[in-house]
């Protein structure tokens, strides 16, 4: 038990320093943001001062993180296998840290619909990147061509559809909870063209 507490203590100290360095802040800058003296912060980072809960809360805020994230130790289940949907040509992963989020990899062979009535609009937000080929994103009245390694991000209340241009394309999409639900409803019973869900 003492070993585990010592490991957590060391991990939290390393995390504080790593987050400070990632922000490009000196000891003095973070100490000022956390209302600590520079020497106190230095001793916290170097293990020469006891970690107090009130200081951890203040440091977490100053580092724009949460206390939970600062002391999190879970390293189990870091590998996630996809759910495979052969009918839709998709692989789907959930993001454990944000259970409402999902990541979808999809191969598309059909162009997007010509009929605007087949475009969908629903609450949410999507981000996608083209892994290979060329995709066409219909977004409102715009027709946007996305080549390999290009990405698009948009609110899903804008009518949208996506498909391939002259040959297969593969995309990786990130969907928040609302966007994922909107696409699931369309795929399960709606009339709109299927898109990554």
């Amino acid at each position: 038990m003492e070993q585990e507490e010592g490991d957590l203590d060391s991990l939290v100290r390393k995390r504080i320093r790593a987050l400070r360095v990632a922000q490009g802040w000196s000891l003095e800058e973070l100490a000022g943001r956390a209302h600590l003296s520079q020497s106190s912060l230095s001793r916290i980072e170097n293990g020469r001062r006891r970690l107090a809960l009130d200081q951890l809360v203040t440091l977490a805020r100053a580092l724009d993180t949460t206390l939970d994230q600062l002391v999190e130790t879970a390293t189990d289940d870091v590998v996630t296998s996809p759910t495979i949907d052969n009918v839709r040509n998709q692989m789907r992963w959930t993001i454990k840290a944000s259970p409402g989020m999902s990541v979808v990899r999809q191969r598309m062979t059909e162009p997007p619909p010509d009929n605007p009535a087949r475009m969908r609009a629903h609450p949410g937000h999507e981000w996608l990147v083209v892994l290979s080929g060329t995709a066409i994103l219909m977004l409102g009245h715009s027709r946007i061509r996305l080549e390999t390694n290009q990405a698009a991000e948009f609110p899903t209340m804008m009518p949208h559809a996506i498909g391939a241009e002259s040959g297969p394309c593969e995309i990786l999409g990130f969907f928040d909870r609302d966007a994922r639900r909107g696409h699931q409803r369309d795929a399960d019973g709606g009339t709109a063209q299927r898109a990554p869900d």
Side-chain angles (χ1 to χ4, degrees):
M1 185 69 175
E2 286 181 16
Q3 177 67 32
E4 287 178 12
E5 287 176 7
D7 290 346
L8 176 59
D9 185 85
S10 176
L11 175 67
V12 170
R13 292 174 193 278
K14 287 177 183 172
R15 217 170 253 163
I16 291 168
R17 184 180 190 287
L19 289 169
R20 175 179 64 78
V21 170
Q23 295 282 2
W25 294 338
S26 66
L27 278 167
E28 182 180 9
E29 287 174 292
L30 178 55
R33 292 171 184 270
H35 308 294
L36 294 170
S37 70
Q38 186 175 336
S39 63
S40 292
L41 178 58
S42 177
R43 288 196 305 271
I44 287 171
E45 285 189 4
N46 293 316
R48 294 191 309 259
R49 180 174 178 154
R50 184 179 68 79
L51 289 171
L53 182 59
D54 60 332
Q55 290 174 332
L56 286 179
V57 170
T58 303
L59 282 165
R61 279 193 200 117
L63 290 163
D64 196 25
T65 188
T66 65
L67 181 60
D68 287 346
Q69 290 173 326
L70 202 56
V71 300
E72 183 177 38
T73 60
T75 55
D76 298 337
D77 298 330
V78 295
V79 175
T80 303
S81 296
T83 302
I84 297 174
D85 183 340
N86 289 321
V87 173
R88 295 185 196 148
N89 242 345
Q90 293 181 349
M91 286 187 217
R92 181 194 330 262
W93 297 263
T94 56
I95 299 175
K96 292 177 187 173
S98 302
M101 294 284 294
S102 60
V103 178
V104 174
R105 180 176 179 175
Q106 182 171 16
R107 185 174 189 270
M108 299 179 151
T109 56
E110 298 297 318
D114 290 330
N115 183 351
R118 294 193 61 213
M119 294 168 65
R120 68 178 46 85
H122 50 82
H125 202 86
E126 297 183 17
W127 181 92
L128 63 91
V129 63
V130 179
L131 300 176
S132 65
T134 303
I136 298 297
L137 172 63
M138 305 299 293
L139 191 59
H141 297 293
S142 301
R143 184 178 193 274
I144 303 163
R145 188 171 189 266
L146 296 167
E147 297 185 8
T148 301
N149 297 325
Q150 287 187 313
E153 181 176 359
F154 56 94
T156 54
M157 286 301 286
M158 176 80 70
H160 61 282
I162 190 166
E165 180 186 69
S166 63
C169 72
E170 196 166 39
I171 66 166
L172 189 66
F174 292 76
F175 305 89
D176 69 8
R177 183 187 308 269
D178 292 330
R180 183 177 51 103
R181 285 179 181 159
H183 282 290
Q184 284 174 332
R185 278 193 300 270
D186 288 341
D188 293 340
T191 58
Q193 178 211 18
R194 286 182 178 159
D197 56 311

